[in-house]
Amino acid sequence: MALRHAVLPKTLHAERRSTHVDWEAGAPGRSRASRRWRRGTPRRAWSAARCAPTRGGWAWPVRPDVVLGHSVGEIAAAHGVGILSLPDACDLGAARGGLMDRLPPGGAMVAIVAPEAAVLPELAGHEGVAGIAAVNAPSSVVVSGPEEVVTAVADALAAGGARTKRLPGATRSTPR
């Protein structure tokens, strides 16, 4: 909930400092009152949460031949194979979040369970304004652009039986 609401909550149940923490190194501390986070900070925390299991899970003797990721998952994948250090992966995640925050208002993204070939005709006439932002699987795409265009495309495909889901909190991203 702290990440969702971009609020660092007051530290609870920590009136006495632990003797197991080096309080002089790294400037750890307690939050004496709730405070707002900068927008990039929650994204940095999410990036770290995605990266840590990726790299940590490879302590087992099984190694993947291929690692894939989409969106923030690409950053986690790059960290997982050693291309990015954890601090660099977190910085990149935070920078990406900052760019997302600066996108123009009024955008939307909708996940659609339909092949790309079925979605493209619905986007005809909206080239350069709205488009397919991602192809997640042969029958799973994400459409992005101005809300009214994306909603109309999603409604038309839903009327034909496709499942659609508005991606909460998502703003317009550049169609590929």
Side-chain angles (χ1 to χ4, degrees):
M1 294 306 289
L3 291 173
R4 179 177 290 166
H5 295 289
V7 173
L8 180 65
K10 175 183 174 184
T11 303
L12 301 176
H13 314 295
E15 290 80 23
R16 289 180 295 190
R17 290 184 168 198
S18 169
T19 58
H20 301 288
V21 174
D22 182 356
W23 292 98
E24 302 306 315
R30 296 175 293 178
S31 178
R32 300 192 189 288
S34 294
R35 64 177 192 248
R36 305 272 321 152
W37 264 335
R38 288 186 356 258
R39 291 292 287 155
T41 306
R43 287 193 173 87
R44 185 179 178 101
W46 277 114
S47 295
R50 287 180 184 237
C51 287
T54 302
R55 192 71 177 256
W58 294 353
W60 297 92
V62 176
R63 301 276 182 203
D65 290 329
V66 176
V67 179
L68 299 173
H70 167 66
S71 191
V72 176
E74 292 170 319
I75 298 169
H79 167 67
V81 298
I83 294 170
L84 294 172
S85 67
L86 183 57
D88 286 346
C90 290
D91 287 345
L92 183 56
R96 179 190 176 279
L99 291 171
M100 293 290 286
D101 285 342
R102 289 193 291 278
L103 286 171
M109 294 178 78
V110 175
I112 302 173
V113 180
E116 183 177 12
V119 177
L120 287 173
E122 296 297 331
L123 288 164
H126 301 290
E127 295 84 357
V129 175
I132 294 181
V135 178
N136 295 327
S139 291
S140 175
V141 300
V142 175
V143 174
S144 68
E147 184 171 12
E148 62 278 0
V149 174
V150 172
T151 301
V153 168
D155 290 347
L157 289 160
R163 288 186 304 157
T164 66
K165 180 180 180 186
R166 171 81 183 249
L167 300 177
T171 59
R172 179 168 67 213
S173 70
T174 305
R176 57 178 189 103

mmCIF file of all heavy atoms in Angstrom, residues 130-154:
data_model
loop_
_atom_site.group_PDB
_atom_site.id
_atom_site.type_symbol
_atom_site.label_atom_id
_atom_site.label_comp_id
_atom_site.label_asym_id
_atom_site.label_seq_id
_atom_site.Cartn_x
_atom_site.Cartn_y
_atom_site.Cartn_z
ATOM 1 N N ALA A 130 -2.313 6.303 -32.163
ATOM 2 C CA ALA A 130 -2.535 5.139 -31.309
ATOM 3 C C ALA A 130 -1.996 3.927 -32.051
ATOM 4 O O ALA A 130 -1.882 3.935 -33.279
ATOM 5 C CB ALA A 130 -4.018 4.957 -31.006
ATOM 6 N N GLY A 131 -1.662 2.914 -31.303
ATOM 7 C CA GLY A 131 -1.145 1.717 -31.951
ATOM 8 C C GLY A 131 -0.891 0.600 -30.967
ATOM 9 O O GLY A 131 -1.251 0.689 -29.788
ATOM 10 N N ILE A 132 -0.264 -0.431 -31.459
ATOM 11 C CA ILE A 132 0.078 -1.576 -30.614
ATOM 12 C C ILE A 132 1.375 -1.248 -29.892
ATOM 13 O O ILE A 132 2.409 -1.004 -30.522
ATOM 14 C CB ILE A 132 0.190 -2.853 -31.454
ATOM 15 C CG1 ILE A 132 -1.197 -3.189 -32.013
ATOM 16 C CG2 ILE A 132 0.746 -3.998 -30.610
ATOM 17 C CD1 ILE A 132 -1.266 -4.425 -32.853
ATOM 18 N N ALA A 133 1.301 -1.196 -28.577
ATOM 19 C CA ALA A 133 2.468 -0.891 -27.758
ATOM 20 C C ALA A 133 3.300 -2.129 -27.482
ATOM 21 O O ALA A 133 4.505 -2.031 -27.284
ATOM 22 C CB ALA A 133 2.021 -0.257 -26.436
ATOM 23 N N ALA A 134 2.652 -3.297 -27.458
ATOM 24 C CA ALA A 134 3.380 -4.533 -27.171
ATOM 25 C C ALA A 134 2.608 -5.717 -27.716
ATOM 26 O O ALA A 134 1.381 -5.720 -27.733
ATOM 27 C CB ALA A 134 3.566 -4.698 -25.661
ATOM 28 N N VAL A 135 3.361 -6.705 -28.168
ATOM 29 C CA VAL A 135 2.798 -8.007 -28.509
ATOM 30 C C VAL A 135 3.362 -8.960 -27.470
ATOM 31 O O VAL A 135 4.548 -9.283 -27.486
ATOM 32 C CB VAL A 135 3.182 -8.459 -29.938
ATOM 33 C CG1 VAL A 135 2.621 -9.846 -30.225
ATOM 34 C CG2 VAL A 135 2.683 -7.456 -30.969
ATOM 35 N N ASN A 136 2.531 -9.350 -26.519
ATOM 36 C CA ASN A 136 2.990 -10.175 -25.406
ATOM 37 C C ASN A 136 2.991 -11.661 -25.727
ATOM 38 O O ASN A 136 3.710 -12.426 -25.108
ATOM 39 C CB ASN A 136 2.135 -9.918 -24.164
ATOM 40 C CG ASN A 136 2.298 -8.496 -23.667
ATOM 41 O OD1 ASN A 136 3.363 -7.912 -23.784
ATOM 42 N ND2 ASN A 136 1.234 -7.925 -23.135
ATOM 43 N N ALA A 137 2.157 -12.053 -26.654
ATOM 44 C CA ALA A 137 2.028 -13.458 -27.062
ATOM 45 C C ALA A 137 1.285 -13.447 -28.400
ATOM 46 O O ALA A 137 0.750 -12.407 -28.806
ATOM 47 C CB ALA A 137 1.261 -14.258 -26.013
ATOM 48 N N PRO A 138 1.215 -14.583 -29.096
ATOM 49 C CA PRO A 138 0.519 -14.592 -30.386
ATOM 50 C C PRO A 138 -0.910 -14.063 -30.333
ATOM 51 O O PRO A 138 -1.399 -13.504 -31.305
ATOM 52 C CB PRO A 138 0.549 -16.064 -30.794
ATOM 53 C CG PRO A 138 1.770 -16.604 -30.123
ATOM 54 C CD PRO A 138 1.853 -15.871 -28.814
ATOM 55 N N SER A 139 -1.577 -14.216 -29.197
ATOM 56 C CA SER A 139 -2.950 -13.719 -29.065
ATOM 57 C C SER A 139 -3.102 -12.783 -27.873
ATOM 58 O O SER A 139 -4.095 -12.806 -27.163
ATOM 59 C CB SER A 139 -3.930 -14.898 -28.922
ATOM 60 O OG SER A 139 -3.994 -15.602 -30.135
ATOM 61 N N SER A 140 -2.088 -11.933 -27.655
ATOM 62 C CA SER A 140 -2.142 -10.990 -26.543
ATOM 63 C C SER A 140 -1.358 -9.736 -26.907
ATOM 64 O O SER A 140 -0.142 -9.776 -27.078
ATOM 65 C CB SER A 140 -1.553 -11.630 -25.278
ATOM 66 O OG SER A 140 -1.511 -10.686 -24.234
ATOM 67 N N VAL A 141 -2.074 -8.617 -27.033
ATOM 68 C CA VAL A 141 -1.440 -7.350 -27.384
ATOM 69 C C VAL A 141 -1.865 -6.268 -26.406
ATOM 70 O O VAL A 141 -2.839 -6.422 -25.660
ATOM 71 C CB VAL A 141 -1.792 -6.916 -28.828
ATOM 72 C CG1 VAL A 141 -1.338 -7.950 -29.840
ATOM 73 C CG2 VAL A 141 -3.265 -6.617 -28.971
ATOM 74 N N VAL A 142 -1.130 -5.173 -26.416
ATOM 75 C CA VAL A 142 -1.490 -3.985 -25.650
ATOM 76 C C VAL A 142 -1.597 -2.835 -26.632
ATOM 77 O O VAL A 142 -0.700 -2.626 -27.455
ATOM 78 C CB VAL A 142 -0.441 -3.667 -24.566
ATOM 79 C CG1 VAL A 142 -0.777 -2.358 -23.858
ATOM 80 C CG2 VAL A 142 -0.342 -4.802 -23.557
ATOM 81 N N VAL A 143 -2.694 -2.116 -26.563
ATOM 82 C CA VAL A 143 -2.932 -0.956 -27.414
ATOM 83 C C VAL A 143 -2.770 0.286 -26.556
ATOM 84 O O VAL A 143 -3.248 0.335 -25.409
ATOM 85 C CB VAL A 143 -4.352 -1.015 -28.034
ATOM 86 C CG1 VAL A 143 -4.669 0.258 -28.793
ATOM 87 C CG2 VAL A 143 -4.476 -2.219 -28.945
ATOM 88 N N SER A 144 -2.103 1.302 -27.106
ATOM 89 C CA SER A 144 -1.921 2.544 -26.359
ATOM 90 C C SER A 144 -2.192 3.737 -27.251
ATOM 91 O O SER A 144 -2.098 3.649 -28.480
ATOM 92 C CB SER A 144 -0.499 2.626 -25.789
ATOM 93 O OG SER A 144 0.433 2.778 -26.839
ATOM 94 N N GLY A 145 -2.533 4.846 -26.616
ATOM 95 C CA GLY A 145 -2.797 6.086 -27.333
ATOM 96 C C GLY A 145 -3.801 6.922 -26.575
ATOM 97 O O GLY A 145 -4.062 6.677 -25.391
ATOM 98 N N PRO A 146 -4.409 7.898 -27.229
ATOM 99 C CA PRO A 146 -5.418 8.726 -26.565
ATOM 100 C C PRO A 146 -6.567 7.852 -26.066
ATOM 101 O O PRO A 146 -6.990 6.914 -26.743
ATOM 102 C CB PRO A 146 -5.886 9.679 -27.668
ATOM 103 C CG PRO A 146 -4.772 9.701 -28.658
ATOM 104 C CD PRO A 146 -4.162 8.337 -28.600
ATOM 105 N N GLU A 147 -7.064 8.181 -24.902
ATOM 106 C CA GLU A 147 -8.090 7.363 -24.254
ATOM 107 C C GLU A 147 -9.288 7.083 -25.151
ATOM 108 O O GLU A 147 -9.764 5.953 -25.236
ATOM 109 C CB GLU A 147 -8.545 8.016 -22.952
ATOM 110 C CG GLU A 147 -9.534 7.173 -22.190
ATOM 111 C CD GLU A 147 -9.810 7.708 -20.804
ATOM 112 O OE1 GLU A 147 -9.428 8.841 -20.492
ATOM 113 O OE2 GLU A 147 -10.423 6.955 -20.025
ATOM 114 N N GLU A 148 -9.787 8.104 -25.850
ATOM 115 C CA GLU A 148 -10.992 7.894 -26.654
ATOM 116 C C GLU A 148 -10.744 6.913 -27.804
ATOM 117 O O GLU A 148 -11.609 6.103 -28.133
ATOM 118 C CB GLU A 148 -11.564 9.220 -27.178
ATOM 119 C CG GLU A 148 -10.648 10.013 -28.094
ATOM 120 C CD GLU A 148 -9.593 10.864 -27.377
ATOM 121 O OE1 GLU A 148 -9.531 10.871 -26.140
ATOM 122 O OE2 GLU A 148 -8.822 11.523 -28.094
ATOM 123 N N VAL A 149 -9.552 6.929 -28.383
ATOM 124 C CA VAL A 149 -9.237 6.003 -29.477
ATOM 125 C C VAL A 149 -9.055 4.592 -28.940
ATOM 126 O O VAL A 149 -9.626 3.624 -29.462
ATOM 127 C CB VAL A 149 -7.974 6.463 -30.235
ATOM 128 C CG1 VAL A 149 -7.563 5.426 -31.283
ATOM 129 C CG2 VAL A 149 -8.195 7.830 -30.877
ATOM 130 N N VAL A 150 -8.266 4.476 -27.875
ATOM 131 C CA VAL A 150 -7.992 3.157 -27.292
ATOM 132 C C VAL A 150 -9.280 2.514 -26.794
ATOM 133 O O VAL A 150 -9.516 1.317 -27.005
ATOM 134 C CB VAL A 150 -6.948 3.283 -26.159
ATOM 135 C CG1 VAL A 150 -6.793 1.976 -25.398
ATOM 136 C CG2 VAL A 150 -5.610 3.719 -26.737
ATOM 137 N N THR A 151 -10.133 3.283 -26.161
ATOM 138 C CA THR A 151 -11.409 2.758 -25.662
ATOM 139 C C THR A 151 -12.294 2.288 -26.809
ATOM 140 O O THR A 151 -12.920 1.225 -26.734
ATOM 141 C CB THR A 151 -12.131 3.827 -24.822
ATOM 142 O OG1 THR A 151 -11.286 4.200 -23.737
ATOM 143 C CG2 THR A 151 -13.445 3.312 -24.274
ATOM 144 N N ALA A 152 -12.341 3.050 -27.893
ATOM 145 C CA ALA A 152 -13.160 2.658 -29.048
ATOM 146 C C ALA A 152 -12.642 1.363 -29.671
ATOM 147 O O ALA A 152 -13.428 0.475 -30.025
ATOM 148 C CB ALA A 152 -13.172 3.780 -30.081
ATOM 149 N N VAL A 153 -11.322 1.235 -29.785
ATOM 150 C CA VAL A 153 -10.727 0.008 -30.333
ATOM 151 C C VAL A 153 -11.053 -1.177 -29.426
ATOM 152 O O VAL A 153 -11.488 -2.237 -29.887
ATOM 153 C CB VAL A 153 -9.207 0.175 -30.510
ATOM 154 C CG1 VAL A 153 -8.523 -1.159 -30.787
ATOM 155 C CG2 VAL A 153 -8.905 1.180 -31.620
ATOM 156 N N ALA A 154 -10.866 -1.005 -28.129
ATOM 157 C CA ALA A 154 -11.141 -2.082 -27.176
ATOM 158 C C ALA A 154 -12.619 -2.465 -27.196
ATOM 159 O O ALA A 154 -12.956 -3.661 -27.174
ATOM 160 C CB ALA A 154 -10.716 -1.667 -25.767
#
